[in-house]
């Protein structure tokens, strides 16, 4: 935004406050900050340009749930119309606690997570995204089509975003991705 002088200082104070960093840390070198502080500063830097959309890939991994909830709450305060999607990779059965305690809008789930747990527990608390295995996408074919059909039927009736919990493996043929889109559209 081209801020200088007092305006720049005020914006820096605002952003550091948003992520619970004391303003006097502004001149600190990275080696003088903890891992969690570095992670929070990166969040502040990302928010500095006032983006129309915020995509954060595990931005709070090194932070405990209480600090994470506070940061999510503050980001929601500044950007009230922006949904927050979190992917607590490796959370396993702690997904429910994570969904309840962080204040996120959407939780991305791992394809290894039990579908009954996702439907019966998570989907009642928060919008769920994910549950297609990247290995299954790599394999493609009838097994992928059947898995998508199971997911769509299982999670139908409540908010659900069919997606890839761990992305797309680089070896995946583009045709398999096109097949995924076709399968989803034909079942929806």
């Amino acid at each position: 935004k081209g801020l200088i002088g007092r305006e720049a200082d005020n914006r820096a104070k605002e952003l550091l406050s948003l992520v619970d960093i004391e303003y006097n840390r502004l001149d600190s070198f990275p080696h003088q900050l903890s891992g969690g502080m570095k992670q929070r500063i990166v969040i502040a830097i990302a928010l500095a340009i006032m983006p129309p959309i915020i995509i954060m890939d595990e931005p709070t991994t090194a932070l405990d749930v209480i600090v994470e909830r506070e940061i999510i709450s503050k980001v929601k305060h500044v950007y009230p119309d922006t949904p927050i999607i979190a992917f607590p990779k490796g959370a396993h059965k702690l997904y429910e606690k994570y969904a309840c305690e962080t204040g996120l809008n959407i939780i991305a789930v791992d394809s290894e997570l039990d579908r009954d747990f996702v439907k019966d527990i998570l989907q009642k608390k928060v919008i769920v995204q994910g549950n297609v295995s990247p290995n299954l996408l790599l394999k493609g074919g009838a097994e992928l089509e059947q898995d998508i059909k199971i997911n769509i039927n299982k999670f139908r009736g409540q908010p659900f975003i069919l997606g890839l919990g761990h992305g797309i493996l680089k070896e995946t043929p583009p045709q398999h991705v096109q097949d995924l889109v076709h399968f989803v559209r034909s079942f929806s």
Side-chain angles (χ1 to χ4, degrees), residues 14-32:
E14 176 189 345
L15 290 165
L16 291 175
S17 173
L18 183 69
V19 294
D20 293 325
I21 301 282
E22 297 290 325
Y23 180 70
N24 64 359
R25 299 308 297 239
L26 186 64
D27 294 323
S28 297
F29 291 98
H31 71 276
Q32 297 172 312

Side-chain angles (χ1 to χ4, degrees), residues 63-100:
L63 308 176
D64 64 60
V65 168
I66 294 167
V67 173
E68 186 169 10
R69 178 182 57 228
E70 290 170 3
I71 290 173
I72 288 173
S73 174
K74 289 178 178 185
V75 170
K76 281 182 158 186
H77 179 73
V78 174
Y79 299 96
D81 298 326
T82 303
I84 296 178
I85 303 170
F87 187 5
K89 190 174 182 180
H92 305 294
K93 294 296 180 178
L94 295 176
Y95 270 88
E96 178 182 11
K97 181 177 181 182
Y98 184 89
C100 292

Side-chain angles (χ1 to χ4, degrees), residues 11 43-55 79 82:
R11 181 70 173 143
I43 293 169
I45 291 168
L47 297 174
I49 60 170
M50 300 172 70
I53 185 170
I54 303 167
I55 300 172
Y79 299 96
T82 303

Side-chain angles (χ1 to χ4, degrees), residues 34-186:
S34 70
M37 290 172 86
K38 290 176 195 172
Q39 205 158 9
R40 289 182 280 156
I41 286 174
V42 168
I43 293 169
I45 291 168
L47 297 174
I49 60 170
M50 300 172 70
I53 185 170
I54 303 167
I55 300 172
M56 297 189 257
D57 186 7
E58 299 185 44
T60 54
T61 308
L63 308 176
D64 64 60
V65 168
I66 294 167
V67 173
E68 186 169 10
R69 178 182 57 228
E70 290 170 3
I71 290 173
I72 288 173
S73 174
K74 289 178 178 185
V75 170
K76 281 182 158 186
H77 179 73
V78 174
Y79 299 96
D81 298 326
T82 303
I84 296 178
I85 303 170
F87 187 5
K89 190 174 182 180
H92 305 294
K93 294 296 180 178
L94 295 176
Y95 270 88
E96 178 182 11
K97 181 177 181 182
Y98 184 89
C100 292
E101 293 183 3
T102 57
L104 55 92
N105 301 95
I106 301 166
I107 192 165
V109 297
D110 191 309
S111 59
E112 303 298 315
L113 214 53
D114 179 71
R115 287 182 177 116
D116 289 331
F117 170 76
V118 172
K119 179 169 180 58
D120 298 339
I121 307 296
L122 287 183
Q123 207 175 23
K124 291 183 178 169
K125 299 177 183 325
V126 68
I127 296 171
V128 173
Q129 170 187 313
N131 229 31
V132 174
S133 165
N135 291 321
L136 196 53
L137 182 60
L138 174 64
K139 187 175 180 182
E143 193 175 343
L144 174 62
E145 183 175 4
Q146 181 62 27
D147 189 69
I148 292 167
K149 186 184 283 188
I150 290 169
N151 275 318
I152 289 173
N153 289 331
K154 182 74 162 181
F155 303 116
R156 181 169 278 155
Q158 292 187 32
F160 178 72
I161 302 165
L162 185 74
L164 301 165
H166 290 291
I168 300 173
L169 301 173
K170 66 181 178 179
E171 303 87 15
T172 302
Q175 182 60 48
H176 292 188
V177 178
Q178 290 175 340
D179 292 345
L180 169 77
V181 172
H182 173 74
F183 295 154
V184 170
R185 287 181 177 161
S186 69

